[in-house]
Amino acid sequence: MNKITTNAFHPMQLKISQADIGYKEILISGADAQLQSGEVCLLIGNNGVGKTTLIRSVLHQIAILRGTITLGDKNIQELSVKEIAEYIAVVLSKSAIPQNYTVNDLVSLGKYIHYPFYFELSKEDQKEVRETIENLGLQQYDATPLKNLSDGNLQKAFIGRALTQNSPVIILDEPTTHLDEKNKIIILKTLRKLAREHHKLILFSSHDWRLAKEFADKIWYIKDRTLHAGMVEDVLIRHHELTDPSLFNVNEYFKAPHIIAPPLYKEMLYSLLQKNSTADLSHLSFEFMDNRWHIDAKGNGYQCGSFEEILVLVKTLH
């Protein structure tokens, strides 16, 4: 077996070098990126750009078209399926539900990657399974069949299985999709704690770039067949479309005004105006100061104290 070096002097590293990623057609060209033990990385990009394909390439479920992907000091292509399973715990967005399994059964399953399935888990293993279930807030569902769980709790149970696997790398494809805000934060705080305290390397995909600011160290952002990789803050600063409300443009005829405001207020105003107007508003300027909106329309000044007042004003300025 080709053992990967993971001691203190050789921390786990996932490295992509000059890789073309796709099936017959290239989705990501010339990708270069790397992650180290202790880092959390958010993989982001629009639907169809290759996020899941990139994950499957890292898992060597599909071959890359050019370049290399290395895990530790080994080319991923040199590792067997069993070795990859030992070093990488995976939570996919669409996982098959084992028939008649309970939450405890599924979370325990993570342990059997290390043993023949007929083995009985040790007391230490069983204790870790219980602690994982409690940390995810699933203790009341311990003996509940998976088929009776909500989508959110089912997702948390699959994440629990990955955690008990105790692999140095954890990869999650859209892990927070079915979770409400409270459970989303539980999962992300758990992942960050694993990275910091247990030196895990964690890569997870999502459509929500906002998660990166609070929970991730790195971003891998796929756009125009290119993988933009780096520190969260560096990538966000270089790609304003990630933080600009125009990312959510659903009205092709709408011409946006100039808006100076905190991000949340800016996004709310942008959404309000494009939902209710197809006009060219580029001649207007909005600035949020002292809890009021100050509007300039070709030299004429107005003030509004609410979004409702803004909507009324804009209709008179058409």
Side-chain angles (χ1 to χ4, degrees):
M1 181 182 290
N2 295 318
K3 283 292 183 184
I4 297 175
T5 306
T6 59
N7 61 38
F9 299 100
H10 294 87
M12 177 61 75
Q13 180 187 69
L14 173 62
K15 186 175 183 180
I16 301 175
S17 302
Q18 284 297 296
D20 289 346
I21 293 167
Y23 295 92
K24 295 179 180 178
E25 177 184 340
I26 296 175
L27 291 175
I28 306 168
S29 177
D32 283 300
Q34 65 180 48
L35 298 174
Q36 305 282 352
S37 297
E39 291 183 334
V40 179
C41 179
L42 171 64
L43 172 60
I44 194 167
N46 292 331
N47 285 334
V49 296
K51 296 192 299 298
T52 300
T53 303
L54 175 56
I55 287 175
R56 293 189 64 194
S57 298
V58 169
L59 297 173
H60 195 40
Q61 293 176 352
I62 58 174
I64 58 176
L65 304 176
R66 181 178 71 95
T68 58
I69 298 177
T70 55
L71 184 63
D73 48 9
K74 295 293 181 182
N75 189 316
I76 204 80
Q77 294 179 329
E78 298 175 7
L79 298 174
S80 68
V81 171
K82 185 176 187 299
E83 287 173 301
I84 291 174
E86 288 179 354
Y87 293 114
I88 305 177
V90 182
V91 180
L92 299 176
S93 55
K94 296 179 180 178
S95 298
I97 302 174
Q99 287 295 315
N100 303 317
Y101 268 43
T102 65
V103 168
N104 188 80
D105 293 333
L106 180 62
V107 177
S108 299
L109 197 60
K111 286 295 174 191
Y112 283 101
I113 193 71
H114 307 290
Y115 311 118
F117 196 74
Y118 52 81
F119 271 39
E120 183 176 347
L121 296 185
S122 68
K123 289 184 177 179
E124 184 178 342
D125 287 333
Q126 292 174 19
K127 181 174 180 287
E128 186 179 338
V129 167
R130 284 196 306 274
E131 289 176 349
T132 299
I133 289 172
E134 289 171 3
N135 289 338
L136 293 172
L138 291 173
Q139 57 269 33
Q140 69 190 89
Y141 304 107
D142 186 68
T144 301
L146 299 178
K147 61 185 178 182
N148 294 340
L149 293 178
S150 67
D151 286 344
N153 283 327
L154 180 63
Q155 183 73 329
K156 287 165 70 177
F158 275 108
I159 290 170
R161 183 198 62 183
L163 299 184
T164 57
Q165 192 171 318
N166 283 339
S167 301
V169 179
I170 302 175
I171 295 179
L172 309 100
D173 189 11
E174 301 280 356
T176 60
T177 298
H178 300 296
L179 302 182
D180 59 26
E181 201 67 22
K182 177 184 176 182
N183 284 316
K184 184 182 296 186
I185 290 172
I186 287 174
I187 293 301
L188 294 172
K189 287 176 71 174
T190 299
L191 294 178
R192 187 144 191 87
K193 184 177 180 180
L194 282 166
R196 287 289 178 268
E197 297 182 9
H198 299 275
H199 221 50
K200 304 289 188 184
L201 187 163
I202 296 173
L203 173 66
F204 73 100
S205 65
S206 175
H207 285 88
D208 191 352
W209 63 266
R210 295 165 184 81
L211 301 179
K213 300 204 305 331
E214 309 303 330
F215 297 102
D217 304 291
K218 301 280 184 68
I219 281 185
W220 288 1
Y221 173 40
I222 305 172
K223 179 189 175 187
D224 299 331
R225 298 207 318 170
T226 299
L227 179 62
H228 304 274
M231 293 289 293
V232 166
E233 293 74 15
D234 288 332
V235 174
L236 291 180
I237 288 295
R238 288 197 298 267
H239 297 277
H240 296 288
E241 71 276 9
L242 287 176
T243 56
D244 192 278
S246 62
L247 176 68
F248 305 103
N249 186 7
V250 295
N251 185 343
E252 60 183 303
Y253 303 105
F254 175 65
K255 302 297 182 183
H258 181 61
I259 303 173
I260 301 174
L264 178 61
Y265 286 84
K266 182 176 181 180
E267 187 168 334
M268 290 295 184
L269 179 60
Y270 186 95
S271 299
L272 173 81
L273 294 176
Q274 75 159 342
K275 279 190 298 187
N276 292 280
S277 177
T278 58
D280 182 350
L281 302 182
S282 59
H283 63 287
L284 300 180
S285 177
F286 291 79
E287 185 171 4
F288 189 72
M289 293 188 302
D290 302 323
N291 289 319
R292 293 188 66 80
W293 287 98
H294 298 257
I295 301 101
D296 181 87
K298 296 183 177 179
N300 296 316
Y302 306 89
Q303 289 189 28
C304 294
S306 69
F307 289 111
E308 186 173 2
E309 291 178 18
I310 289 174
L311 196 57
V312 172
L313 174 64
V314 168
K315 288 178 179 178
T316 67
L317 296 176
H318 279 189

